[in-house]
């Protein structure tokens, strides 16, 4: 079993480092991330830091839901280039913060750049739930938890 790093572990507040090349250690982290996505039925995204690796890799797959999406995405060094000014408020949870949900406001649409498994730069536009999940996971890479962004009611 792959251990999930849980709040209040200080690792979750650290900045993840950029990947310079896709080597066997990077592929090993990606294998673990996809295992976690598949193992937990309710998991739609996971960041490398959540399994103990301070590297800028996230895996997202909202295709288990009925939301429009791009399928399973493995994103290396993801960077959000643009965010819409209109926001969506959704109830978020996290494997690293078990048994807790909170409402978070995030941009409804984002455009991001990342490196895919083949080392190619990709540009992606994500909307609604998929955009929320991607933002949640990128926040992990910057040491930010959804708890830090909970909207007041």
């Amino acid at each position: 079993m792959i251990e999930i790093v849980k709040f209040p572990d200080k690792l979750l507040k650290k900045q993840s480092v950029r990947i310079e090349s896709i080597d066997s250690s990077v592929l090993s982290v990606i294998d673990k991330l996809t295992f976690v996505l598949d193992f937990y039925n309710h998991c739609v995204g996971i960041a490398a830091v959540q399994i103990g690796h301070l590297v800028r890799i996230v895996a997202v797959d909202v295709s288990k839901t009925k939301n429009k999406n791009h399928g399973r995405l493995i994103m290396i060094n993801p960077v959000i280039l643009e965010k819409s000014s209109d926001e969506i408020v959704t109830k978020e949870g996290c494997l690293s913060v078990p048994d807790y949900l909170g409402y978070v406001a995030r941009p409804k649409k984002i455009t991001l750049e990342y490196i895919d498994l083949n080392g190619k730069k990709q540009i992606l536009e994500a909307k609604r739930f998929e955009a929320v999940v991607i933002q949640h996971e990128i926040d992990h890479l910057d040491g930010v938890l959804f708890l830090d962004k909970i909207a007041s009611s």
Side-chain angles (χ1 to χ4, degrees), residues 4-47:
I4 303 294
V5 178
K6 294 194 173 62
F7 178 79
D9 192 305
K10 290 181 181 10
L11 190 68
L12 293 170
K13 299 306 276 176
K14 294 186 185 261
Q15 184 85 20
S16 293
V17 296
R18 189 171 166 72
I19 300 287
E20 297 305 325
S21 65
I22 300 173
D23 57 18
S24 60
S25 67
V26 168
L27 294 174
S28 174
V29 171
I30 290 168
D31 283 345
K32 292 175 186 173
L33 291 173
T34 57
F35 175 86
V36 170
L37 269 181
D38 292 336
F39 184 80
Y40 293 95
N41 285 337
H42 61 285
C43 181
V44 290
I46 186 85

Side-chain angles (χ1 to χ4, degrees), residues 1-103:
M1 188 56 191
I2 296 170
E3 190 73 27
I4 303 294
V5 178
K6 294 194 173 62
F7 178 79
D9 192 305
K10 290 181 181 10
L11 190 68
L12 293 170
K13 299 306 276 176
K14 294 186 185 261
Q15 184 85 20
S16 293
V17 296
R18 189 171 166 72
I19 300 287
E20 297 305 325
S21 65
I22 300 173
D23 57 18
S24 60
S25 67
V26 168
L27 294 174
S28 174
V29 171
I30 290 168
D31 283 345
K32 292 175 186 173
L33 291 173
T34 57
F35 175 86
V36 170
L37 269 181
D38 292 336
F39 184 80
Y40 293 95
N41 285 337
H42 61 285
C43 181
V44 290
I46 186 85
V49 65
Q50 293 179 271
I51 58 168
H53 299 275
L54 268 178
V55 291
R56 297 189 75 80
I57 307 172
V58 301
V60 171
D61 188 351
V62 300
S63 63
K64 298 175 191 175
T65 69
K66 51 188 174 288
N67 297 279
K68 286 194 181 257
N69 62 81
H70 293 90
R72 179 161 292 184
L73 297 167
I74 306 298
M75 296 180 270
I76 300 167
N77 300 330
V79 176
I80 296 174
L81 303 173
E82 291 179 37
K83 299 176 180 183
S84 65
S85 56
D86 54 330
E87 292 188 329
I88 183 171
V89 177
T90 58
K91 191 187 295 186
E92 293 188 23
C94 183
L95 290 177
S96 292
V97 189
D99 306 321
Y100 189 80
L101 299 171
Y103 287 95

